[in-house]
């Protein structure tokens, strides 16, 4: 009977995918298709859980088959991330008049990312304090205890690295290996390698202009092809969102959410406050935050459902350049750096909240000014090199908790609600990188305000239809 139910569920999913395809063929707006997929996915996932239960064999097997669409879409995006980052940054640099402005551009992007992470850590700390969160109140089962042991093991690897060693790890010793995403800092390493290659090509103009021109043509051609691939993949977004949302809701542990409800609520309060701060920063520059919100929502929905900052890079760049008017070079830097540096959700809010929760278990007053200042600074410093994929928040938490001499095992008690919170954290990470891109472009006078204010660009272009 299990097989029968699974087949019925798959048929229902195929029908919904067909409907989404039909909507695309009759030119229903892209954002409406994404919202439809999100809503239908939540509804279908909830029905699966109500009828069969989250841990049932039917739900597990159904999720495996539906995962072909959802996880397949995420894999396609990850496939294009490294080529896109590399070619985009090289192309952006080689199209500059000189390399003089590159350092200022990169420095400003990183500065804004770290600054907003400082704010995120402060918001996370204060929110946890206000809600009175305390890790000693959390009950642990076998799964949570196993997770705690796993984190203790991982801590050994984190503690072995000194701060200078962590900085050196950003340098691409083997760029071809980093192109495979083999390390948490691979994206950042590829950015650095691409920047060096771009600057080298830029400086070649004076000595060997013919070779430099040929290189430029090759890179521009590659960039055009890569961006076309991005467009083809992004057309799949509604289907990916539908599948990802269905499996996430169907397999969410409701009992775990209820038992840790206060932590989930506090987390989303902190995340929402940070979203509002991003919008305020946009407002302070004189730009219309409503325009910004309407244009970034489809990208945030994907980040929310997929839980991957790195996988969101293609859509992130597409949104910044084609809808928000951010210059190509700045958009590529902010999207790429934002996947590894200054993640407001995973490396800012989350580790700070955990530290405040765990502090009382070892007799530390979380309201202590000394504790809070030290925590916020450590969070900002440790936000460099956090992987932009699932698990990045855990890596950041390990670094922060170990630096604060707090027990890391208690973080494993939150495993049951980790996926739910990770959705919001990832969306905030991506929004933080887009905010950094817009602010940098505005401050450097490289923001196309006509494009930013053109609300016809809120929807899909002809290519995305």
């Amino acid at each position: 009977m299990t097989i029968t139910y699974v087949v019925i569920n798959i048929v229902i999913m195929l029908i919904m995918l067909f409907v989404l395809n039909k909507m695309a063929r009759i030119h229903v707006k892209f954002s409406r298709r994404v919202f439809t997929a999100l809503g239908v996915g939540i509804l279908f996932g909830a029905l699966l859980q109500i009828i069969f239960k989250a841990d049932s064999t039917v739900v597990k097997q159904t999720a495996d088959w539906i995962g072909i669409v959802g996880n397949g879409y995420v894999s396609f995006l990850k496939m294009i991330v490294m080529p896109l980052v590399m070619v985009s940054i090289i192309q952006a640099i080689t199209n500059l008049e000189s390399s003089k402005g590159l350092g200022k551009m990169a420095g400003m992007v990183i500065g804004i990312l770290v600054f907003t992470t400082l704010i995120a850590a402060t918001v996370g700390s204060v929110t946890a304090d206000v809600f009175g969160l305390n890790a000693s109140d959390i009950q642990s089962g076998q799964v949570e205890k196993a997770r705690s042991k796993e984190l203790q093991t991982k801590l050994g690897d984190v503690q072995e690295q000194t701060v200078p060693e962590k900085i050196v790890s950003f340098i691409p010793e083997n760029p071809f290996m980093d192109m495979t995403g083999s390390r948490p800092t691979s994206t950042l390493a590829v950015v650095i390698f691409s920047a060096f290659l771009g600057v080298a090509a830029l400086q070649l103009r004076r000595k060997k202009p013919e070779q430099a021109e040929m290189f430029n043509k090759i890179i521009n051609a590659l960039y055009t092809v890569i961006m076309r691939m991005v467009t083809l993949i992004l057309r799949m977004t509604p289907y990916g969102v539908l599948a990802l949302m269905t499996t996430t809701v169907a397999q969410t542990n409701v009992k775990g959410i209820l038992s840790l409800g206060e932590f989930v609520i506090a987390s989303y309060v902190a995340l929402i406050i940070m979203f509002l701060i991003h919008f305020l920063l946009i407002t302070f520059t004189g730009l219309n935050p409503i325009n910004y919100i309407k244009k970034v929502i489809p990208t945030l929905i994907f980040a929310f459902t997929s839980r991957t900052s790195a996988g969101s890079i293609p859509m992130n760049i597409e949104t910044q350049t084609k809808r928000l008017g951010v210059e190509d070079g700045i958009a590529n830097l902010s999207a790429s750096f934002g996947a590894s540096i200054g993640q407001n959700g995973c490396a800012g809010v989350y580790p700070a909240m955990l530290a405040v929760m765990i502090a009382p278990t070892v007799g530390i007053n979380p309201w202590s000014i000394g504790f809070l200042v030290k925590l916020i600074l450590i969070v900002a410093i440790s936000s460099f090199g956090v992987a932009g994929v699932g698990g990045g928040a855990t890596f950041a938490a390990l670094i922060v908790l170990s630096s604060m001499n707090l027990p890391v095992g208690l973080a494993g008690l939150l495993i049951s609600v980790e996926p739910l919170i990770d959705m919001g954290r990832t969306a905030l990470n991506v929004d933080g990188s887009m905010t950094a891109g817009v602010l940098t472009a505005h401050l450097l006078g490289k923001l196309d305000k006509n494009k930013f204010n053109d609300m016809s660009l809120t929807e899909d272009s002809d290519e995305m239809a």
Side-chain angles (χ1 to χ4, degrees):
M1 200 64 183
T2 297
I3 299 297
T4 303
Y5 287 135
V6 172
V7 171
I8 292 172
N9 294 337
I10 294 171
V11 170
I12 294 172
M13 173 57 66
L14 289 173
I15 292 171
M16 291 188 292
L17 291 172
F18 175 79
V19 171
L20 285 175
N21 182 259
K22 188 70 175 177
M23 291 172 69
R25 290 181 180 276
I26 62 175
H27 304 295
V28 174
K29 292 177 178 178
F30 182 73
S31 58
R32 289 184 184 177
R33 283 183 277 138
V34 172
F35 273 116
T36 300
L38 179 68
V40 173
I42 292 173
L43 180 61
F44 187 41
L47 287 173
L48 288 176
Q49 178 160 158
I50 291 170
I51 296 171
F52 302 107
K53 306 303 179 186
D55 56 353
S56 69
T57 304
V58 173
V59 168
K60 183 180 183 305
Q61 292 184 6
T62 299
D64 286 343
W65 283 101
I66 294 176
I68 295 174
V69 178
N71 298 330
Y73 173 60
V74 173
S75 295
F76 275 127
L77 280 167
K78 289 181 178 178
M79 171 189 75
I80 200 69
V81 166
M82 290 304 185
L84 175 62
V85 168
M86 184 174 183
V87 175
S88 296
I89 289 178
I90 295 172
Q91 193 254 8
I93 293 173
T94 54
N95 286 339
L96 294 173
E97 292 298 324
S98 69
S99 59
K100 290 181 180 178
L102 181 61
K104 185 177 181 181
M105 186 191 301
M108 192 167 289
V109 168
I110 294 172
I112 293 172
L113 286 170
V114 175
F115 172 68
T116 52
T117 302
L118 277 169
I119 298 175
T122 305
V123 169
S125 302
V126 173
T127 304
D129 274 333
V130 169
F131 274 79
L133 300 179
N134 192 321
S136 61
D137 297 332
I138 302 174
Q139 298 296 319
S140 62
Q142 289 185 344
V143 176
E144 287 78 10
K145 289 176 180 176
R147 175 64 168 169
S148 296
K149 289 182 179 179
E150 180 186 341
L151 293 181
Q152 292 283 7
T153 302
K154 283 187 177 181
L155 176 61
D157 298 331
V158 174
Q159 284 182 323
E160 287 174 4
Q161 276 194 318
T162 63
V163 173
E165 286 174 338
K166 290 172 186 174
I167 294 172
V168 171
S169 71
F170 300 156
I171 299 172
E173 182 178 331
N174 186 339
F176 298 101
M177 183 180 73
D178 284 317
M179 285 290 288
T180 66
S182 60
R183 302 185 297 151
T185 56
S186 282
T187 303
L188 191 56
V190 170
V191 170
I192 293 172
F193 174 74
S194 303
F196 267 92
L197 193 57
V199 171
L202 198 61
Q203 294 179 351
L204 196 65
R205 285 180 186 173
R206 293 192 298 269
K207 296 182 178 180
K208 297 183 178 180
E210 290 183 6
Q211 285 87 338
E213 182 62 26
M214 183 182 295
F215 182 80
N216 274 10
K217 288 180 179 179
I218 293 171
I219 291 297
N220 286 332
L222 282 173
Y223 178 77
T224 303
V225 173
I226 292 293
M227 289 309 296
R228 187 59 192 171
M229 285 182 66
V230 170
T231 299
L232 292 174
I233 294 170
L234 292 186
R235 284 179 177 176
M236 306 175 193
T237 300
Y239 314 113
V241 168
L242 171 62
L244 289 166
M245 207 67 228
T246 298
T247 55
T248 298
V249 174
Q251 296 181 301
T252 298
N253 186 335
V254 177
K255 289 183 179 179
I257 293 173
L258 293 175
S259 64
L260 295 171
E262 192 174 17
F263 177 69
V264 173
I265 293 170
S267 296
Y268 272 91
V269 167
L271 295 174
I272 290 169
I273 290 172
M274 275 309 301
F275 274 115
L276 293 175
I277 289 172
H278 288 171
F279 302 151
L280 281 175
L281 291 173
I282 296 291
T283 305
F284 289 155
T285 63
L287 299 170
N288 188 332
I290 303 301
N291 290 3
Y292 173 83
I293 293 169
K294 288 182 177 179
K295 292 184 177 186
V296 302
I297 278 180
T299 305
L300 296 183
I301 289 176
F302 169 71
F304 183 82
T305 54
S306 67
R307 295 168 54 199
T308 165
S309 299
S312 300
I313 288 176
M315 189 176 286
N316 187 332
I317 294 173
E318 176 96 0
T319 299
Q320 288 194 57
T321 56
K322 293 190 176 181
R323 293 172 176 77
L324 295 173
V326 177
E327 187 189 63
D328 285 357
I330 296 173
N332 283 290
L333 284 174
S334 63
S336 304
F337 281 146
S340 300
I341 296 174
Q343 292 187 351
N344 289 187
C346 290
V349 171
Y350 185 68
M353 291 189 74
L354 285 189
V356 170
M357 285 178 63
I358 293 172
T361 67
V362 291
I364 297 175
N365 178 14
W367 280 105
S368 165
I369 298 298
F371 172 82
L372 289 175
V373 170
K374 181 182 177 182
L375 172 62
I376 292 167
L377 290 176
I378 287 176
V379 166
I381 294 170
S382 65
S383 69
F384 283 76
V386 175
V389 294
T394 300
F395 184 75
L398 288 177
I399 296 173
V400 171
L401 295 177
S402 61
S403 299
M404 297 290 292
N405 294 318
L406 296 173
V408 301
L410 290 172
L413 302 180
L414 305 172
I415 184 174
S416 58
V417 294
E418 181 72 11
L420 180 63
I421 298 171
D422 195 40
M423 297 166 80
R425 290 192 311 235
T426 306
L428 182 63
N429 294 343
V430 174
D431 191 61
S433 68
M434 289 191 287
T435 299
V438 171
L439 294 179
T440 300
H442 176 76
L443 293 172
L444 294 178
K446 295 183 178 182
L447 181 71
D448 186 341
K449 293 185 180 180
N450 291 328
K451 187 176 285 188
F452 183 93
N453 293 320
D454 185 354
M455 293 311 294
S456 67
L457 299 176
T458 303
E459 308 299 345
D460 40 322
S461 62
D462 293 338
E463 287 188 341
M464 288 293 292

